[in-house]
Amino acid sequence: MNVSVSKGKAKGTVSAPPSKSYSHRMMICAALSDGTSVLKGFSESQDMLATLDCVQELGAEYKVEGDVITIKGLFSNSANKGKPASLPAFKCRESGSTLRFMIPIALAVKECGEFFGTERLIERGIPVYEELFANKGVKIEKGTSSIKIDGKMRPETYELSGNVSSQFISGLMFALPLLEGDSLIRITTPIESGSYIQMTIDVLKTFGITIEKSGDREFLIKGNQKYQARKMDIEGDWSNAAPFFALGVDVTGLDYNSAQGDKVCVELIKSLRETPEKVIDISDCPDLGPILFAVAASENGGTFTGTARLRIKESDRANAMKDELAKYGIQVDVLDNSVIVHKGELKTPSEILSSHNDHRMVMSLCYLSSFTGGVIEQAESINKSFPDFFDKLRSLGLEINDAV
């Protein structure tokens, strides 16, 4: 699906969508309980549906009514634990967080499984787990369209680098409390995306799971813990609210005391507008990369460090933004762990813009095209996290239409 975005000024107020990061974590915790949880503020994005597919395959049950989801935990039925007769099939679609969260959980609960996803998701793979489980009795077989796992997760010490995706660390945190003995997660280098790890710890605590932090880089996780069902609201999503702050409109439904690291978007967008060639470290908020590059392009330029992990997102986001910003006449330099967006004058693109099948690219290109106009291809990739994004843009007075 191609969409055209007409040049225009956004005005008004918009409500933030529910937090994708919190939704994943809360649904997983609810699914691992032995009771029934009720979560309000649910949105049926593709990533959320992927997680629901997977927790259902584990043995949890769910029902969606409007924006309320009711989840009956898999441990409500003791038959759901233990190695099944046939290989469980976990359909992750394009969701990297679903894949990385669910693999340790599947090892702890089912001791096996096959994970399916898009070609890009399987290509991105799970190298951290392949290395981590290599000598721990777990077999991982990566194919072109799926990843098979087999083995029983054991309570012990798990060491991994701090510059990997926090999703691998969070995946361990979900699974280890279910084991019969105590475990330790030891991070061997300074932690990046620490706010996402803290979010996981906070959500786990809400569902009755305790993780003890020892120093800056060690987490003690006691075994034989039980997840407790909860009734909760899902807070608004700061990363998906960032494009609206960039457009200069008010956003409601956000918690300004949130553990979401992406709440720095307001401060960072403001600094890009006020400070020429601002230098910003995005190692703790990599999902903000594309929209911050876009704001830098429309304002004073900027230099961004901590960008290496953008290569393994839904697209290679640093190089994808370089390619698309060139169509607006903006020069971008992509280095090993930094991106320089040079100051320039936005021009109307003379060719179709590519979303690179990435929802955050769609949001960023819509922001830029509000200055110049433009046509974006594969715009349906927005459904990964924000299916009503275009409706919200229209509510602000921007003209968004289907394009050939």
Side-chain angles (χ1 to χ4, degrees), residues 19 30 38 41 46 51 63 66 75 85-86 88 98 107 128 131 142 220 253 256 283 285 291 302 365 375 380 393:
S19 167
V38 179
Q46 290 298 309
T51 295
K63 178 175 66 175
F75 292 123
S86 58
T98 301
L107 289 170
V128 175
E131 181 179 349
K142 180 182 173 184
L220 175 63
Y256 280 77
S283 57
C285 55
I291 190 61
L365 296 176
V375 175
E380 68 275 8
L393 289 182

Side-chain angles (χ1 to χ4, degrees), residues 332-347:
V332 176
D333 297 332
V334 177
L335 308 176
D336 287 344
N337 196 33
S338 63
V339 171
I340 302 169
V341 179
H342 294 274
K343 185 175 180 179
E345 182 179 348
L346 286 178
K347 300 176 182 178

Side-chain angles (χ1 to χ4, degrees), residues 56-330:
Q56 186 176 51
E57 189 69 10
L58 280 177
E61 301 174 12
Y62 72 88
K63 178 175 66 175
V64 177
E65 296 177 302
D67 70 342
V68 176
I69 182 167
T70 302
I71 300 177
K72 183 179 180 182
L74 67 96
F75 292 123
S76 300
N77 180 354
S78 60
N80 284 321
K81 190 167 183 180
K83 196 162 188 175
S86 58
L87 195 64
F90 298 97
K91 299 174 182 178
C92 298
R93 307 190 190 197
E94 291 184 297
S95 179
S97 51
T98 301
L99 176 68
R100 292 163 180 167
F101 288 165
M102 293 302 302
I103 282 178
I105 295 170
L107 289 170
V109 177
K110 296 294 186 183
E111 301 175 22
C112 63
E114 185 168 12
F115 290 80
F116 298 88
T118 62
E119 183 177 342
R120 171 64 179 170
L121 178 62
I122 301 303
E123 177 189 336
R124 290 161 64 191
I126 50 166
V128 175
Y129 287 150
E130 289 176 297
E131 181 179 349
L132 191 66
F133 292 128
N135 300 313
K136 297 187 182 333
V138 173
K139 181 181 178 182
I140 297 177
E141 180 183 340
K142 180 182 173 184
T144 56
S145 61
S146 69
I147 298 171
K148 292 181 180 179
I149 60 170
D150 187 270
K152 186 173 183 178
M153 199 168 183
R154 301 192 295 246
E156 55 182 275
T157 296
Y158 292 84
E159 290 190 349
L160 61 169
S161 172
N163 65 354
V164 301
S165 169
S166 63
Q167 294 165 357
F168 292 106
I169 300 169
S170 291
L172 294 174
M173 288 180 169
F174 288 123
L176 294 176
L178 300 172
L179 306 184
E180 293 181 355
D182 300 346
S183 300
L184 181 72
I185 299 175
R186 179 177 293 128
I187 312 301
T188 58
T189 62
I191 296 174
E192 297 183 11
S193 295
S195 61
Y196 287 94
I197 298 171
Q198 187 59 50
M199 186 189 306
T200 299
I201 293 172
D202 290 348
V203 173
L204 285 167
K205 182 178 180 181
T206 300
F207 282 83
I209 300 298
T210 300
I211 293 183
E212 299 174 19
K213 190 173 184 181
S214 175
D216 291 334
R217 300 183 193 169
E218 290 190 351
F219 303 90
L220 175 63
I221 303 175
K222 296 204 173 283
N224 293 308
Q225 296 192 60
K226 296 186 183 298
Y227 284 80
Q228 300 167 9
R230 291 286 184 260
K231 293 184 179 180
M232 299 179 63
D233 291 344
I234 301 171
E235 68 176 63
D237 192 311
W238 279 95
S239 57
N240 279 355
F244 298 105
F245 285 116
L247 287 166
V249 301
D250 294 328
V251 185
T252 62
L254 294 167
D255 181 358
Y256 280 77
N257 294 314
S258 174
Q260 295 179 58
D262 291 340
K263 68 183 180 183
V264 298
C265 64
V266 175
E267 173 189 336
L268 297 183
I269 289 169
K270 181 181 179 184
S271 68
L272 287 169
R273 290 197 167 119
E274 295 179 348
T275 308
E277 300 176 345
K278 177 75 175 177
V279 178
I280 295 175
D281 180 2
I282 64 168
S283 57
D284 196 44
C285 55
D287 283 345
L288 295 180
I291 190 61
L292 293 179
F293 300 166
V295 173
S298 69
E299 299 289 341
N300 298 300
T303 296
F304 302 87
T305 61
T307 62
R309 281 187 292 125
L310 296 185
R311 294 187 179 91
I312 56 169
K313 295 292 185 177
E314 285 82 346
S315 67
D316 177 350
R317 287 177 175 163
N319 281 301
M321 283 299 292
K322 175 181 178 178
D323 291 346
E324 301 316 305
L325 283 171
K327 298 174 184 178
Y328 292 97
I330 301 297

